[in-house]
C-alpha cells in the first residue's frame, strides 16, 4: 500500500531533519516543501486507494507516487550512509561533488512531488477516514478468546511453558502475577494466548477468565468497562472512572481470575500503574501480549516469554494446510515453489497463512511462479510492517491475479526500514 510506504518515507524524512543532514547538505528548502507535499498527499491516501479499484487514472497517480517515494527514500538512505563528519568538511572535493549531486536530485524529486501534489487536487479526494472506514479498521484490530484455528503448528511447547508458569505462580502467590508474551507482529502471540486461555487446566484453576483487546489506545476506563462486561455480561453504563474502578473491584473481589490483555502498546508506566492498582484487589493473573519489550519492562513482568519464528518443518506444515488443504494433490512443481516461498517468510505464521490462503485453489504453475519471483526480493527478516499490512487487503474483493507482492529493505548506518506491500496491479 502506498500509505504504508509514504508513512515510512515521512518517518525517514523526519530522521533526516533531526540529524541536521538537510542543513549540512544545503537542502533545507527542498525538505520543507517535501514535508508539505507528503503531508497533504498522505491525508487523502485512504480515499485514493479505495478509488483506484474503479479508476485507472487514480491507480496511475498512486503508481507515480509510489515510484517517487522509492526515489526519495533512496536519496535519504544515501545521505544517511554518507559520513556526517564529511558533511562538515566543506573543502574536500568528494564532499563538494556529493552535496552538488544530492542538491540536484533533491530539486528534481521535489519538483516531482510538486507535480504529484498538483494532480491530487484534480481528483477531489476526501481527507482523513470516514466513520465507516474507522469502524472497519477498529473491527479488524479487535480480537476475542474464541479459537478460530483449531490446528496450531509449532506452538505446543510454548503453550505448555506458559500454562505451567501461570498455574505455578497463581498457586504460590497471593499477589498480582503478570506474564508477557513478546514477539514481532505476525508470530502468533494472540493465537497462542487463545490456546492458553481455553486450556482445560486453566479453566479449572481460575474462577473467572477475562479477555480484553487493548490495541493502540490504552484507555483505563475502556479496559475496566470491558472487564465488567466480560464478567457480568452487561454494559455497566457508568460514566466516571471512580465508578468503574469500584465496580471492577466488586466483581473481582475474592475471585481467582485470569485476565488477558491482548495487543498492548502502552509504554506509559503511569497508565499501567493506574490500572494495576485497581486489579490488585483479588488473586489475579494477567497474561499480556505485545510486540514491545518496553511494555514488559514498565509492567515489571517476570517472566517474559519471547516468541520466536516457526521451524522450517512447522512452517511448511502450516503452508500446506492453507495452500493445499487435505484433499488436494500436491504436484512436485508446486511443492518446490511453495517451499521457496515459505523460506522467504522466515517463520512468520501470518505471512505463511496469508500467502498460503491466497494460493489455495490456484493450480496454475504461473500463478505460483509469480509469487515466487516477487518473493525472491524478500529480505531475510519480516518486520511488523510486513505482516500487519497484508491482512486487510487480502480480504478485499479484488481478484487474486490483480495483486503482486513487493518486499523491500533499506539499510543505513542509523536505521533499518523493512516492509511488505501488497499492491493492486489491475
Amino acid at each position: 500500500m502506498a500509505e504504508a510506504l509514504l508513512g515510512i518515507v515521512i518517518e525517514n524524512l523526519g530522521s533526516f531533519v533531526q540529524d541536521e543532514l538537510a542543513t549540512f547538505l544545503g537542502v533545507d528548502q527542498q525538505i520543507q516543501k517535501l514535508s508539505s507535499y507528503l503531508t497533504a498527499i498522505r491525508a487523502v491516501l485512504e480515499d485514493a486507494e479505495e478509488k483506484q479499484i474503479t479508476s485507472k487514472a487514480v491507480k496511475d497517480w498512486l503508481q507515480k507516487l509510489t515510484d517517487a517515494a522509492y526515489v526519495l527514500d533512496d536519496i535519504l538512505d544515501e545521505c544517511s550512509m554518507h559520513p556526517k563528519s564529511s558533511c562538515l568538511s566543506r573543502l574536500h572535493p568528494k564532499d563538494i561533488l556529493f552535496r552538488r549531486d544530492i542538491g540536484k536530485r533533491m530539486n528534481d524529486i521535489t519538483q516531482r512531488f510538486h507535480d504529484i501534489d498538483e494532480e491530487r487536487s484534480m481528483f477531489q479526494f476526501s481527507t482523513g477516514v470516514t466513520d465507516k472506514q474507522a469502524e472497519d479498521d477498529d473491527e479488524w484490530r479487535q480480537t476475542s478468546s474464541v479459537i478460530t484455528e483449531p490446528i496450531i503448528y509449532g506452538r505446543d511447547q510454548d503453550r505448555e511453558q506458559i500454562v505451567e508458569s501461570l498455574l505455578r505462580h497463581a498457586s504460590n502467590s497471593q499477589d498480582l502475577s503478570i506474564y508477557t508474551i513478546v514477539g514481532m507482529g505476525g508470530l502468533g502471540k494472540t493465537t497462542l494466548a487463545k490456546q492458553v486461555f481455553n486450556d482445560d487446566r486453566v479453566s479449572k484453576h481460575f474462577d473467572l477468565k477475562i479477555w480484553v483487546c487493548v490495541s493502540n489506545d490504552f484507555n483505563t476506563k475502556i479496559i475496566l468497562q470491558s472487564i465488567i462486561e466480560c464478567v457480568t455480561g452487561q454494559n455497566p453504563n457508568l460514566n466516571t472512572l471512580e465508578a468503574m474502578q469500584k465496580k471492577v473491584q466488586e466483581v473481582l473481589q475474592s475471585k481467582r481470575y485470569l485476565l488477558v490483555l491482548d495487543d498492548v502498546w502502552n509504554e506509559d508506566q503511569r497508565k499501567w500503574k493506574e490500572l494495576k492498582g485497581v486489579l490488585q484487589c483479588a488473586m489475579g493473573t494477567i497474561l499480556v501480549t505485545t510486540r514491545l519489550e518496553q511494555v514488559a519492562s514498565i509492567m515489571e513482568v517476570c517472566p517474559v516469554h519471547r516468541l520466536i519464528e516457526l521451524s522450517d518443518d512447522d512452517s511448511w506444515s502450516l503452508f500446506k494446510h492453507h495452500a493445499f488443504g487435505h484433499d488436494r494433490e500436491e504436484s512436485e512443481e508446486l511443492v518446490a515453489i511453495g517451499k521457496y516461498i515459505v523460506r522467504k517468510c522466515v517463520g512468520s505464521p501470518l505471512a505463511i497463512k496469508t500467502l498460503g490462503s491466497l494460493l489455495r485453489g490456484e493450480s496454475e504453475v504461473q500463478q505460483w511462479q509469480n509469487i515466487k519471483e516477487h518473493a525472491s526480493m524478500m529480505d531475510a527478516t519480516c518486520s511488523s510492517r510486513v505482516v500487519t499490512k497484508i491482512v486487510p487487503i487480502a480480504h478485499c474483493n479484488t481478484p487474486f491475479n490483480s495483486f503482486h507482492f513487493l518486499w523491500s529493505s533499506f539499510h543505513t548506518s542509523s536505521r533499518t526500514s523493512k516492509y511488505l506491500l501488497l499492491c493492486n496491479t489491475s
Side-chain angles (χ1 to χ4, degrees):
M1 291 173 67
E3 183 184 3
L5 173 59
L6 209 63
I8 292 168
V9 173
I10 290 173
E11 180 182 330
N12 293 343
L13 199 65
S15 299
F16 186 76
V17 173
Q18 288 177 359
D19 291 342
E20 299 182 347
L21 288 170
T23 302
F24 292 137
L25 296 170
V27 292
D28 297 81
Q29 189 174 6
Q30 292 95 320
I31 292 299
Q32 289 178 5
K33 289 181 179 179
L34 284 168
S35 295
S36 177
Y37 297 147
L38 290 171
T39 300
I41 291 169
R42 190 184 192 186
V44 303
L45 276 183
E46 290 207 38
D47 190 34
E49 289 183 331
E50 184 175 326
K51 288 180 177 176
Q52 70 166 326
I53 298 174
T54 56
S55 171
K56 187 177 186 302
V58 173
K59 178 174 176 276
D60 291 342
W61 179 79
L62 282 171
Q63 187 59 54
K64 291 179 187 177
L65 173 62
T66 301
D67 293 342
Y70 279 126
V71 172
L72 175 55
D73 210 47
D74 283 343
I75 295 172
L76 296 177
D77 277 342
E78 286 187 42
C79 293
S80 297
M81 288 186 287
H82 195 72
K84 192 171 180 180
S85 58
S86 295
C87 297
L88 293 167
S89 176
R90 299 183 179 275
L91 299 177
H92 197 289
K94 288 185 178 180
D95 292 322
I96 294 173
L97 291 174
F98 178 77
R99 286 197 293 272
R100 181 182 298 170
D101 176 61
I102 290 299
K104 182 181 183 304
R105 291 165 64 191
M106 275 294 191
N107 282 330
D108 292 343
I109 197 62
T110 301
Q111 182 60 48
R112 195 165 164 182
F113 271 105
H114 171 269
D115 295 342
I116 292 170
D117 189 50
E118 287 283 301
E119 283 188 62
R120 170 185 61 86
S121 60
M122 296 166 46
F123 294 110
Q124 298 182 328
F125 294 127
S126 60
T127 60
V129 296
T130 64
D131 291 340
K132 184 179 185 305
Q133 286 173 324
E135 182 180 337
D136 289 344
D137 188 56
D138 286 343
E139 288 182 0
W140 173 72
R141 292 191 67 89
Q142 285 296 309
T143 65
S144 76
S145 63
V146 176
I147 293 179
T148 55
E149 298 178 53
I151 303 176
I152 306 297
Y153 295 91
R155 297 305 187 203
D156 290 346
Q157 186 175 351
D158 294 285
R159 184 187 67 243
E160 286 302 309
Q161 289 177 358
I162 296 172
V163 168
E164 289 176 7
S165 183
L166 289 181
L167 298 183
R168 184 172 62 253
H169 280 270
S171 299
N172 298 335
S173 175
Q174 298 296 312
D175 298 326
L176 191 67
S177 300
I178 307 164
Y179 196 104
T180 303
I181 303 173
V182 179
M184 70 179 187
L187 281 183
K189 298 180 295 296
T190 298
T191 300
L192 178 58
K194 289 183 180 184
Q195 292 288 318
V196 172
F197 188 89
N198 289 283
D199 189 280
D200 288 339
R201 293 164 293 177
V202 171
S203 298
K204 291 176 182 177
H205 187 83
F206 293 97
D207 302 319
L208 295 174
K209 294 191 304 175
I210 306 160
W211 182 285
V212 177
C213 178
V214 179
S215 198
N216 289 329
D217 184 17
F218 195 94
N219 186 311
T220 302
K221 192 174 176 181
I222 292 175
I223 295 172
L224 294 176
Q225 177 178 322
S226 298
I227 291 173
I228 297 168
E229 288 181 354
C230 193
V231 175
T232 67
Q234 297 178 336
N235 187 323
N237 293 317
L238 300 172
N239 297 320
T240 68
L241 179 60
E242 176 72 12
M244 287 282 191
Q245 291 172 336
K246 288 184 176 180
K247 185 63 176 178
V248 166
Q249 290 177 335
E250 177 187 322
V251 298
L252 296 182
Q253 192 67 43
S254 303
K255 301 288 187 181
R256 188 185 296 276
Y257 70 86
L258 170 66
L259 169 64
V260 172
L261 297 177
D262 186 41
D263 193 26
V264 177
W265 292 78
N266 172 58
E267 297 180 85
D268 185 341
Q269 192 169 41
R270 179 186 55 82
K271 289 183 178 181
W272 164 241
K273 286 186 174 181
E274 182 179 46
L275 178 63
K276 183 180 178 181
V278 181
L279 299 176
Q280 287 176 319
C281 64
M283 296 174 287
T285 298
I286 302 177
L287 177 61
V288 178
T289 72
T290 181
R291 301 182 189 185
L292 308 175
E293 290 277 354
Q294 180 63 15
V295 170
S297 177
I298 68 164
M299 289 182 166
E300 300 172 337
V301 170
C302 182
V304 174
H305 187 92
R306 292 176 177 83
L307 202 58
I308 62 172
E309 296 83 359
L310 292 179
S311 68
D312 292 343
D313 289 342
D314 288 325
S315 294
W316 175 241
S317 296
L318 178 62
F319 182 83
K320 280 200 304 180
H321 175 74
H322 287 276
F324 297 110
H326 298 294
D327 303 326
R328 182 171 164 188
E329 185 177 345
E330 306 167 19
S331 74
E332 291 185 7
E333 192 169 9
L334 293 187
V335 166
I337 297 173
K339 287 188 174 181
Y340 180 90
I341 293 171
V342 168
R343 285 198 301 273
K344 291 298 180 178
C345 290
V346 288
S348 169
L350 183 53
I352 294 167
K353 285 188 292 186
T354 303
L355 297 180
S357 297
L358 284 172
L359 289 168
R360 193 181 184 92
E362 291 293 337
S363 56
E364 294 184 16
V365 173
Q366 187 56 49
Q367 296 283 21
W368 286 63
Q369 195 67 38
N370 288 342
I371 298 298
K372 177 186 175 182
E373 289 175 3
H374 290 293
S376 66
M377 295 183 286
M378 193 171 186
D379 190 71
T381 57
C382 288
S383 71
S384 58
R385 293 184 189 273
V386 169
V387 289
T388 55
K389 296 308 289 188
I390 300 175
V391 179
I393 312 170
H395 284 82
C396 80
N397 295 320
T398 313
F400 167 81
N401 58 11
S402 67
F403 290 111
H404 76 270
F405 296 87
L406 176 60
W407 285 269
S408 297
S409 177
F410 299 103
H411 299 276
T412 72
S413 58
S414 60
R415 58 190 166 87
T416 301
S417 301
K418 303 185 184 77
Y419 42 91
L420 165 62
L421 305 177
L422 178 56
C423 309
N424 188 297
T425 60
S426 61

